[in-house]
């Protein structure tokens, strides 16, 4: 058979088998609606425990863009904007969703997908010292993602520094964790979920790209941060009527450490691919320690590789080279990875 | 055992067994993302056939409020509003979602949950004749639901009249079909899906309340009506990454007429409940021919009934009476209905 | 000459002569921008004194719709709506401006243009008791106008009752005073500016319809009610670069009680017209004690009158009668009023 | 006397004397409202003639941010964004007003305040070729200003090239002419108003900074470009009730070529200042041919100069130097300019 291997992204398969099994088992039960069901309650408790944050608000939403839009709109006043990396997903790949809610994105230079605490502070100082600051968009929060768009990770020291700058200047810190499993599963990672809960005002734990059919879990360590959250969610068309669909999935993902186990497997395989790329002399774009590996190819290499494998074409590197990406996922198989490596 | 029977709404269970079976069977397959997958393509084709509208755009979204918000925002200019019944779901139960997108709701009197073509026309004439109409919100569309909030149905003649008024005045007609299966499954119904496709500019076929875990299918008979629809969907955070989840469900629902069969079963049981209520002298609120039955109880009746059964409390009828609702669904069981009737 | 008398509205002339005189005198002076000028500072002080509220924030905006939009958006959270009379200007005559900012208008029945404290409380109680209130738009404020759309006045007792209900339920009270001079100038009025400052969370004192070329003065008795107000104003495109234009006008209007004097003159003449209408047997729509007089005419009367006079046609009263309005203003002349009366 | 000279901006004085004279003369006349008055009609005609565009829609608004917000919102679909220079006024100095209407700003590199037709085309090509373009914000227009934020001018060749790129890619070109008089009054300028009307889809002719108390004249060469413009204006709270205030001002500014004459005077004086700065060895930021002159000072120079003169501090040039700006205006006096030069 000649079907191509597919390493183009991390949401190509359905869901982890435990999730499907549980959906089947519970299908006939009548359960509460709009998140008021036993599975969602159990999932919330497991997440609170995993975050060591028993008082946190946990809400389940459907997808990443939706979650960013809802949380950002919930955190900000109408006249406030979002500080983040030029390369941030909300800046470049979400069709202007946060602007559609009225919030301007304020770009900071990215360094391997990350922004720097000192540069954030410089921006905030400039804002505060500007004699016309009342004519400027007021920064109300910092948005980062863990891992970043380039698969890189913030260290605990970096995250702590950003958190301190934010709170010193009375703005929020929000972390987009669409691929959080692949941060938690990375050997290089030193930021735990309890760290997240301590350092951030809100963050989400991604399901769609980490083993679920759909779903993201928003964690708000201090419930007072977002009052009337359900109304905000409903107003954005993001309140799932059959909340059980989300609750069941996260209840399974947070049983017996499954979420982190899933992540580790994907990262291991991605790192094997990265090692092979390095060994064969490919240039890497950022030395990603997670499940997304960005690298540079010339046209001949690209044409050859694309006969066997699907990958993601990111952008032009120069006139004759292209940046491409391999993604592994919770569902990636060792034999496919070996096959891929043999073709590099 | 003392668990109560639950007739409080039509989204208490999971999904039709065919859907779960298909999710399990296809789980390991790598499929395209964002709706670009074979299951979604197949589902679109089945829906186009069911609507006898081969050129229609069909897009799958997650839930009802989301769908209303996205479609209404896609249909309207920024300065246009929505005409509909005072009792319309988008007016009273969606947390101001359409206003959050900038569109005012313009209320018309409801008659058993329906609005009247002549009253729509009177409103439009008044608008057009107002010498200060440029200071008014411009009506850009009519919103109705089939079945309505009260479970009632527009006849084909009524829908045709509304469609004619809308198109004479160059505004759109959009139908919210969150419970479309229970319209199609009603003996009293004479509006088919092909009629919908002929008379409306956009409508949706509800999944969440009609046998799916989640999902609504938007049908736009003439694709030119909504250009750049995917961008609009993405901007609202409503583009499902694993579109297969929606495609698979609607592909099953539209196989072998399952969607209508599901609806018929629910309606049959609701009509048995209605007949029993009538026989026992309860006052009905609207003589609903679908799966939602509204009726009036005094406090003693309500207290007694609520010991055994969950139902939905709608609003006060007068100082001593309350309007309540029983809903059946695709998953309602005959023995539960018989039990309920025995308690009335 | 045969030019018609014009009583169609209260903004037909330029500005009070004191204003023009001051504009001419100060024209060559270099003054601060964006409201940071000596005339605006002086005007703010005069208004604070007139309101007996030395700590109030006073900001000058250009027009009525703009002011309503900016203040309502400043007062509300993104998920909150505005309670007001069905006949409220923001509901019917402002092209959906508040909805364009995302805020739903929640209608209460009007009684001669006014809403009732008890009916407000009933609405708020229903909201708070609704088990699905998180799916509803949350009322965040009450909007009223003084005088109302029909020229009627809230008494101090009525305003106090509304204020108490609002604050008991933790929502704001905002008063649109586009024609405040004609309330203050009415013999029937018992609500002073200091009362306004005590009972309301924000209100505006209208200039455009009360002797200025343009301009409305927003008063926020407690500055903490609206933080970052200038940024909100700027974001709405409502921050006047040459703030002196507004400051000078209000500085003149609040010198030597001119604002109230202007109002009294207009009301006196309107009341003469009203007395004449009554004497000649016309039906009045609301027994307005201010500068707008609504009355009913049959077609013959209307045709005859419109040969000599311009008036405002409000709406149909019945198949053969129309509701019309005469407005006087600060600039109305006694001889014109006498002439008008002779033609009734 | 020791009052400082003030060259900090171009809106420090009132209005040109012809405007004040006309306001006084017409003050007692009853005129139509909301722009439906004889002065506004006359002004529209004069502007259409000056633009050699007899069919153009001309509407008068109050200020620059308001005008940008209204026109951009009127031109764009809800899912479209604005392409412009990083330094664009709408990007940096308008408090996120266009984002508040839902439109993302898409930054292009600025070159002396200008953007380049080829770089615009490269952006549009990249967008159109992106396989995920439906997930991106769709560029719907280009925003430029003439003169730019740095006082520089687009040549007719440059503007033509930009216009061609826009129209080839079916997006709009809009020009912010807040200081248009100072472009028209520059010897270096070769773009006339008729050129503007031929090359742009909408532009505005600034009044506030060019001799008026307030007011901007929006010109839409083809009225079909913005249907229901008055409703859009009203919805943004930007429809002036006493439209005469704006009509009178522009009627005077476009009588006997006054607008251009005013501009020439200001530019002449700015160029004298620029020549003096050059002669005395100051570094200029952009070699501005209009009324704003940006230059670099060290701290000692700045301290000394600020004892006598007010100027605008733009931003840090480096650790020991600052970028500052002198602005002249229609009202600048020769003796003040000479005095300023003597202090450099």
């Amino acid at each position: 058979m000649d079907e191509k291997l597919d390493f183009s992204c991390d949401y190509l398969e359905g869901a982890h088998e435990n999730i499907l099994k549980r959906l089947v088992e519970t299908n006939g039960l009548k359960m509460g609606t709009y998140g008021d069901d036993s599975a969602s309650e159990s999932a919330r408790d497991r997440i609170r425990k995993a975050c060591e944050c028993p008082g946190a608000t946990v809400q389940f939403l459907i997808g990443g863009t939706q979650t960013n839009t809802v949380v950002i709109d919930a955190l900000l006043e109408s006249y406030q904007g979002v500080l983040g990396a030029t390369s941030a997903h909300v800046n470049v790949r979400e069709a202007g969703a946060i602007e559609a809610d009225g919030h301007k994105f304020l770009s900071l230079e990215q360094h391997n997908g990350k922004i720097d605490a000192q540069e954030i502070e410089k921006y905030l100082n400039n804002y505060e010292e500007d004699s016309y600051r009342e004519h400027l968009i007021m920064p109300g929060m910092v948005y980062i993602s863990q891992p970043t768009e380039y698969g890189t990770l913030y260290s605990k020291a970096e995250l702590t520094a950003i958190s301190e700058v934010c709170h010193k200047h009375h703005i929020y810190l929000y972390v987009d964790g669409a691929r959080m499993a692949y941060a938690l599963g990375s050997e290089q990672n030193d930021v735990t979920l309890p760290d997240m809960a301590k350092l951030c005002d809100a963050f989400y734990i991604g399901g769609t790209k980490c083993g679920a059919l759909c779903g993201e879990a928003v964690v708000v360590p201090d419930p007072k941060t977002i009052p009337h959250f359900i109304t905000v969610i409903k107003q954005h068309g993001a309140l799932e009527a059959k909340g059980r669909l989300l609750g069941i999935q996260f209840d399974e993902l947070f049983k017996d450490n499954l979420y982190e186990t899933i992540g580790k497997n994907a990262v291991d395989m991605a790192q094997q691919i990265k090692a092979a790329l390095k060994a064969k002399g490919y240039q890497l774009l950022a030395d990603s320690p997670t499940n997304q590996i960005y690298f540079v190819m010339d046209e001949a290499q690209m044409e050859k590789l694309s006969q066997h494998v699907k990958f993601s074409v990111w952008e032009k590197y120069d006139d004759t080279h292209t940046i491409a990406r391999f993604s592994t996922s919770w569902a990636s198989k060792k034999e496919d990875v070996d096959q891929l490596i043999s073709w590099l």
Side-chain angles (χ1 to χ4, degrees), chain A:
Chain A
M1 74 134 230
D2 54 284
E3 193 155 312
K4 289 185 196 176
L5 285 180
D6 194 342
F7 286 90
S8 62
C9 74
D10 38 17
Y11 38 107
L12 295 165
E13 292 92 353
H16 190 276
E17 58 183 355
N18 294 7
I19 286 174
L20 278 193
K21 195 157 158 271
R22 177 85 172 278
L23 284 175
V24 171
E25 285 169 7
T26 58
N27 191 51
L29 299 178
K30 297 196 182 200
M31 295 174 77
T33 55
Y34 300 112
D36 187 17
D37 63 272
S38 55
S40 295
E41 271 314 312
S42 171
R44 285 189 192 101
D45 278 345
R46 288 188 202 275
I47 289 172
R48 288 187 194 107
K49 265 174 212 144
C51 295
E52 296 176 7
C53 191
T57 287
V58 179
Q59 291 290 348
F60 302 112
L61 280 80
I62 293 285
T65 299
Q66 181 184 78
T67 303
N68 287 331
T69 308
V70 169
V71 175
I72 290 171
D73 200 35
L75 288 173
L76 295 184
E77 299 294 330
S78 60
Y79 49 86
Q80 291 179 323
V82 183
L83 267 176
T86 305
S87 54
H89 204 262
V90 296
N91 190 34
V92 291
R93 295 267 146 183
E94 299 190 355
I98 59 174
E99 287 82 8
D101 279 338
H103 304 295
K104 189 173 178 64
F105 186 84
L106 305 161
S107 288
L108 292 177
E109 199 185 340
Q110 58 94 0
H111 312 285
N112 281 327
K114 297 192 279 183
I115 51 175
D116 179 82
Q118 282 186 302
E119 291 173 6
I120 296 169
E121 179 142 47
K122 193 177 161 198
Y123 186 99
L124 295 172
N125 284 335
N126 283 346
Y127 167 76
E128 288 160 14
E129 290 162 10
D130 194 311
S131 56
Y132 278 95
R133 73 182 162 282
E134 288 171 316
H135 296 213
L136 307 183
I137 194 76
M138 182 184 180
M141 64 185 290
V142 162
Y143 164 98
I144 60 174
S145 58
Q146 174 84 329
T148 69
E149 282 297 285
Y150 294 103
T152 51
L153 292 173
Y154 286 91
S155 69
K156 187 170 169 183
E158 289 169 334
L159 193 66
T160 304
I162 291 175
S163 176
E164 284 172 0
V165 166
C166 288
H167 297 145
K168 177 178 160 195
H169 290 268
H170 307 294
I171 70 174
Y172 292 122
L173 173 58
Y174 164 63
V175 178
D176 175 336
R179 295 184 169 94
M180 186 77 85
Y182 308 123
L184 298 176
S186 167
E187 282 190 10
Q188 195 183 300
N189 180 58
D190 69 346
V191 182
T192 63
L193 288 177
D195 292 334
M196 282 281 162
K198 275 189 209 91
L199 298 171
C200 308
D201 299 288
F203 62 100
Y204 82 87
I205 300 170
T208 305
K209 291 168 179 165
C210 307
L213 285 166
C214 62
E216 324 295 324
V218 179
V219 182
V220 187
D222 178 355
K224 290 193 300 294
T225 307
I226 304 184
H228 302 288
F229 197 15
I230 291 179
T231 299
V232 175
I233 294 170
K234 179 72 181 171
Q235 194 188 41
H236 283 80
L239 189 63
E240 178 58 14
K242 292 186 180 171
R244 65 197 287 155
L245 170 61
L246 302 171
I248 285 168
Q249 294 188 88
F250 276 96
D251 202 40
E252 289 301 320
L253 287 173
F254 277 80
K255 205 180 275 177
D256 301 331
N257 214 23
L258 178 62
Y259 190 71
E260 198 172 320
T261 308
I262 273 177
K264 213 178 290 267
N265 177 55
V267 175
D268 287 350
M269 288 197 270
Q271 295 304 309
Q272 291 173 31
I273 297 170
K274 191 177 79 177
L277 284 165
K278 271 185 176 169
K280 302 197 182 189
Y282 288 86
Q283 182 189 341
L284 298 174
L285 189 70
D287 194 353
S288 162
T290 61
N291 76 316
Q292 301 179 85
I293 309 297
Y294 291 84
F295 64 104
V296 179
M297 283 186 288
D298 65 26
E299 285 166 25
Q301 289 171 314
M302 196 159 126
E303 198 187 319
K304 194 182 139 212
L305 196 61
S306 59
Q307 290 168 7
H308 305 297
V309 190
K310 288 185 189 167
F311 47 83
S312 181
V313 173
W314 210 247
E315 58 187 11
K316 285 275 168 200
Y317 180 78
D318 60 27
D319 282 353
T320 57
H321 291 77
T322 295
I323 300 167
R325 183 191 69 176
F326 291 134
S327 295
T328 60
S329 83
W330 58 279
S332 296
K333 291 177 194 144
K334 175 73 174 133
E335 62 263 31
D336 291 347
V337 168
D338 291 342
Q339 182 68 271
L340 169 64
I341 288 172
S342 74
W343 284 328
L344 291 178

